[in-house]
Amino acid sequence: AQIAAVRGNYDEAAARLREALRIQQTTAPGQRFVRIQRLEQLHEVLVDAGRDDEAEAVWREQYKLADLLYPTGSIRLAALNVEFAHFLRAHGQTHEAKRRIREAIAIYEARPVRPLAPLIQAQRLLYELLISHASSLPSAEVLRRQIDHNARQLWGERDLRLADMRFDFAQAAYRRGQPGVAIDQAIDALQIYRKYGGSTFDAKPLVRLIRWSVLMANRGGYPHEVYESAVRGAQIIVTSEPAEARAHMILGIARFGAG
């Protein structure tokens, strides 16, 4: 089955895995862990083949079996929920995806020692789902602060992964019309990159994002604190491009908005 899948013969691979599952169920029904592994392989093959309805049915069978085998609050159940949430999101089933992610997060949070790496991954997926809807933006911002706190605990203040994550947050905030958050996150990322990124760091993408976000804020209609962020961002633009008259104009508009 694995060889067939590697060669792109997904129908053959799926057929072989289904036959293996049938034989295993007949000859060794007690080997449930083996069955879970084969169901996971079958799910992956069906996804690669574009047979999404079948893949979803196989995953649900896999999770039902895992729920019987693993104790309540198992890390494995949390990981399965996260994996399936990615699948559900890709196929537009965002409501169930959010429910699955929240179940996984609850498991991670309840552990005596929280597994921060998978917790952050689950929280980031939930954040991406929340920011897709305007009504969920306040909840998304609370979650973003939790993610940032967990990331600083896991990586420390000097780790470039923290800067990468904040850059991602800044881009997401800009796409969702949150210039204040975008500017603040981009500035934080820029400071980490400049301190610890070495001589190969290129600030242009971040400065460009800050510029776009300040321009968005300068159009008006935002709370006062957004304009305070816009002033900070515009000052960085001027510092990066001191000879450009437009940069100074952008700063002047931001200062006017901040009062």
Side-chain angles (χ1 to χ4, degrees):
Q2 290 179 338
I3 294 174
V6 169
R7 291 175 175 172
N9 299 325
Y10 299 119
D11 290 342
E12 179 186 348
R16 288 181 179 275
L17 283 167
R18 288 190 187 280
E19 178 64 11
L21 284 163
R22 186 192 66 78
I23 294 172
Q24 185 260 332
Q25 181 66 15
T26 302
T27 60
Q31 294 181 354
R32 293 182 176 179
F33 289 104
V34 174
R35 185 171 184 81
I36 287 176
Q37 292 174 352
R38 285 180 176 159
L39 286 169
E40 186 171 4
Q41 293 169 350
L42 178 58
H43 171 79
E44 292 173 357
V45 167
L46 292 171
V47 169
D48 290 339
R51 293 158 62 177
D52 295 335
D53 290 342
E54 293 177 67
E56 181 176 339
V58 167
W59 187 92
R60 293 186 187 281
E61 180 183 352
Q62 177 191 356
Y63 187 86
K64 183 178 180 181
L65 183 58
D67 197 31
L68 294 173
L69 289 176
Y70 296 106
T72 302
S74 167
I75 292 290
R76 180 57 180 150
L77 290 178
L80 285 172
N81 271 320
V82 173
E83 291 168 12
F84 193 47
H86 280 285
F87 175 87
L88 292 168
R89 180 196 182 194
H91 294 85
Q93 300 183 52
T94 56
H95 181 73
E96 184 178 357
K98 286 188 281 189
R99 179 175 64 81
R100 294 282 182 181
I101 285 295
R102 287 191 171 104
E103 288 179 8
I105 290 172
I107 291 173
Y108 292 139
E109 291 279 12
R111 304 291 293 184
V113 178
R114 296 185 306 158
L116 289 176
L119 172 59
I120 291 169
Q121 291 177 352
Q123 288 176 321
R124 289 189 67 175
L125 177 57
L126 179 58
Y127 175 81
E128 291 169 7
L129 290 167
L130 291 176
I131 62 172
S132 299
H133 303 281
S135 60
S136 301
L137 289 178
S139 299
E141 178 59 17
V142 172
L143 180 60
R144 185 193 63 76
R145 295 178 186 276
Q146 293 174 355
I147 297 169
D148 191 78
H149 173 76
N150 290 335
R152 283 186 281 113
Q153 278 192 314
L154 178 62
W155 297 324
E157 299 287 352
R158 301 183 179 186
D159 197 296
L160 295 182
R161 285 173 293 183
L162 184 62
D164 291 342
M165 187 185 74
R166 287 177 176 169
F167 191 13
D168 289 343
F169 281 147
Q171 294 178 88
Y174 174 79
R175 290 194 299 268
R176 299 301 173 185
Q178 296 177 287
V181 175
I183 294 165
D184 291 342
Q185 289 296 297
I187 290 174
D188 287 346
L190 185 62
Q191 290 172 342
I192 296 173
Y193 284 132
R194 281 180 170 169
K195 286 183 179 179
Y196 311 111
S199 58
T200 59
F201 167 64
D202 181 8
K204 291 179 182 178
L206 269 168
V207 174
R208 191 181 306 122
L209 177 59
I210 292 171
R211 185 189 188 101
W212 292 341
S213 301
V214 173
L215 288 171
M216 180 186 289
N218 282 352
R219 294 172 191 163
Y222 293 97
H224 183 264
E225 60 267 19
V226 173
Y227 298 107
E228 292 179 342
S229 296
V231 170
R232 293 177 60 212
Q235 288 170 337
I236 288 176
I237 297 170
V238 170
T239 301
S240 300
E241 303 170 2
E244 185 190 4
R246 182 169 170 78
H248 292 273
M249 182 182 70
I250 291 171
L251 175 58
I253 295 173
R255 282 175 171 164
F256 178 81

